[in-house]
Amino acid sequence: MANGMRAKAVSAAELFGYDQDDAEDIAQDVMLRLWSLHEQLRDAAHLNASVAITAKRMCIDRWRTTHQHLKIDDVIPIVDEDSLHDKQEYAELEKWLDEQIDSLPSTSRMILRMRQLEHREQSEIADILGIRQTSVSTLLSRARNELLNKLKRRNQQ
């Protein structure tokens, strides 16, 4: 049964675009994770679903850890730095955005800054603030949506 589950994990990793060696590494991690949960697994169907879900999450985690976050200075500017008008417009937008972020509730503001500017993981933010990771995810999503809606309203005016 374990060989079949390992093959399924390797196959899932290969579907995510990993080569054979990386897929084997991911499968090994999946098998270790499932072994730590073996008492909670109810039946073969539950085990098959757990293999697929765990392999997918391991692939995503590996991708996140191997891809560096871009720093804002490394991004190609969207304004013509020689244009006084573009400089002024960009400065106004940046000031407006800072004001909107500052107007967010304190917890949402802290979470948004830790995630977007400091590139902290949600689990790390949850530990720092002493809240559940699902709360971090919810508050982050709400803060982003609020800023997006404010930006849309601003652009419609």
Side-chain angles (χ1 to χ4, degrees):
M1 188 176 205
N3 287 335
M5 296 302 115
R6 183 177 179 79
K8 186 173 185 167
V10 169
S11 174
E14 287 174 341
L15 286 174
F16 270 85
Y18 288 101
D19 62 21
Q20 183 66 33
D21 290 337
D22 287 337
E24 288 289 338
D25 290 344
I26 290 169
Q28 182 68 28
D29 291 342
V30 168
M31 297 305 287
L32 288 171
R33 176 74 175 137
L34 289 176
W35 177 251
S36 69
L37 300 172
H38 76 279
E39 292 176 359
Q40 298 170 359
L41 300 172
R42 294 184 297 267
D43 54 17
H46 188 237
L47 180 60
N48 283 331
S50 296
V51 168
I53 291 168
T54 305
K56 174 185 169 189
R57 290 180 179 166
M58 293 279 184
C59 290
I60 292 170
D61 286 347
R62 181 171 284 221
W63 184 87
R64 284 181 179 161
T65 57
T66 58
H67 288 77
Q68 296 290 338
H69 293 286
L70 291 176
K71 291 188 171 88
I72 193 70
D73 298 335
D74 297 339
V75 178
I76 299 171
I78 57 172
V79 297
D80 179 8
E81 293 181 2
D82 296 330
S83 167
L84 183 60
H85 175 73
D86 282 351
K87 282 182 183 179
Q88 185 177 8
E89 190 173 327
Y90 185 74
E92 288 175 11
L93 178 61
E94 193 171 21
K95 181 182 175 192
W96 178 86
L97 188 57
D98 285 339
E99 290 170 359
Q100 299 311 308
I101 291 172
D102 288 340
S103 74
L104 291 171
S106 63
T107 305
S108 296
R109 182 177 55 246
M110 285 189 301
I111 290 171
L112 185 68
R113 289 204 168 138
M114 282 191 266
R115 182 72 178 126
Q116 297 301 127
L117 300 177
E118 299 173 14
H119 304 292
R120 294 180 186 258
E121 295 295 323
Q122 289 184 8
S123 58
E124 184 180 2
I125 295 169
D127 291 341
I128 291 169
L129 297 178
I131 60 177
R132 293 187 324 237
Q133 188 172 344
T134 54
S135 298
V136 170
S137 179
T138 301
L139 290 169
L140 182 61
S141 177
R142 286 181 185 164
R144 287 174 175 164
N145 283 333
E146 186 174 338
L147 288 176
L148 179 63
N149 289 333
K150 287 181 178 184
L151 184 60
K152 286 178 181 177
R153 284 193 301 270
R154 180 180 188 264
N155 288 337
Q156 289 175 350
Q157 295 174 352

